[in-house]
Amino acid sequence: MVILEIATPFYTISALEILALNASQVGVFTTILSFSEAVLNPLWGWIGDHKGFIRVVQISAVAGVVGALIVAVFPTLWIYYITFFLAGAMISGLQISSLNIVYEFSPKQLVPIYMAVSQIALTPLSSIVPTLGGVIAEKFGYTTDYWLAGTLGIVSLIGLSLQVKNPKKKKRSENIVFNETAQKNIQ
């Protein structure tokens, strides 16, 4: 899902250039982005606790994909507002999941090593992807970044949904079996 970050840094710049907006509009965009993150964080936590953090990744990725694609097709001020809200949803969902999902996938005794590996793996990608986005925006325009983010985001989301099993479901079924066995042993 890191590929979605190829578009995010350029929403403000493209809005200012394409729509010829006043620089004060940056404050409005930042407010919408921050509001979205703050409001949705508790929801992401609740969904993660009840349905698994892989669901949070999937939902927030959909928000990022939709935001990138609608601004590519309809670059109006209201669409930029919606895109900033969706980008905030994506950013907060991916941030809250990036650490919490490690606890769901890793065995308890290996959480520290899994945590270190996940952060080491994400750091280079998170720094390269926006830089690549800058090169693409310079050569081909912002809209190319948005189409690329949306298209590759969809492909990544489909791959994630088809190939990665929700570890929360597995742990729940193990807990149910454990509880049923414990109940039989007590009786």
Side-chain angles (χ1 to χ4, degrees):
M1 299 302 138
V2 174
I3 195 65
L4 293 168
E5 294 176 15
I6 203 167
T8 309
F10 304 104
Y11 291 142
T12 302
I13 300 167
S14 69
L16 293 176
E17 286 182 14
I18 292 169
L19 303 177
L21 299 172
N22 188 317
S24 64
Q25 200 57 231
V26 173
V28 176
F29 293 149
T30 303
T31 301
I32 293 169
L33 187 76
S34 298
F35 174 79
S36 173
E37 290 180 42
V39 168
L40 293 175
N41 267 337
L43 175 64
W44 295 142
W46 185 87
I47 291 172
D49 287 345
H50 289 85
K51 303 292 182 185
F53 282 95
I54 197 162
R55 296 291 176 247
V56 176
V57 171
Q58 291 168 322
I59 297 166
S60 57
V62 167
V65 166
V66 170
L69 293 178
I70 64 170
V71 82
V73 178
F74 308 106
T76 66
L77 183 59
W78 282 101
I79 294 298
Y80 273 100
Y81 289 156
I82 293 167
T83 296
F84 274 95
F85 185 86
L86 293 172
M90 178 197 72
I91 291 166
S92 66
L94 294 178
Q95 284 177 343
I96 201 167
S97 296
S98 72
L99 297 177
N100 287 305
I101 203 165
V102 173
Y103 290 101
E104 292 180 350
F105 276 103
S106 66
K108 280 185 179 181
Q109 68 276 15
L110 296 177
V111 168
I113 192 73
Y114 274 58
M115 190 72 69
V117 169
S118 76
Q119 295 310 300
I120 289 169
L122 289 176
T123 301
L125 290 173
S126 292
S127 60
I128 292 169
V129 169
T131 305
L132 178 62
V135 171
I136 291 169
E138 189 175 312
K139 301 259 186 216
F140 305 106
Y142 301 115
T143 305
T144 304
D145 272 341
Y146 306 154
W147 282 110
L148 190 60
T151 304
L152 294 177
I154 289 171
V155 170
S156 298
L157 182 61
I158 291 169
L160 174 73
S161 299
L162 294 176
Q163 296 297 318
V164 181
K165 303 297 180 221
N166 187 346
K168 190 83 163 183
K169 284 185 179 179
K170 183 180 176 187
K171 286 184 179 179
R172 276 193 182 155
S173 64
E174 288 172 357
N175 287 340
I176 290 170
V177 170
F178 176 77
N179 288 338
E180 288 174 355
T181 306
Q183 286 292 329
K184 288 179 184 176
N185 289 340
I186 291 172
Q187 293 173 351

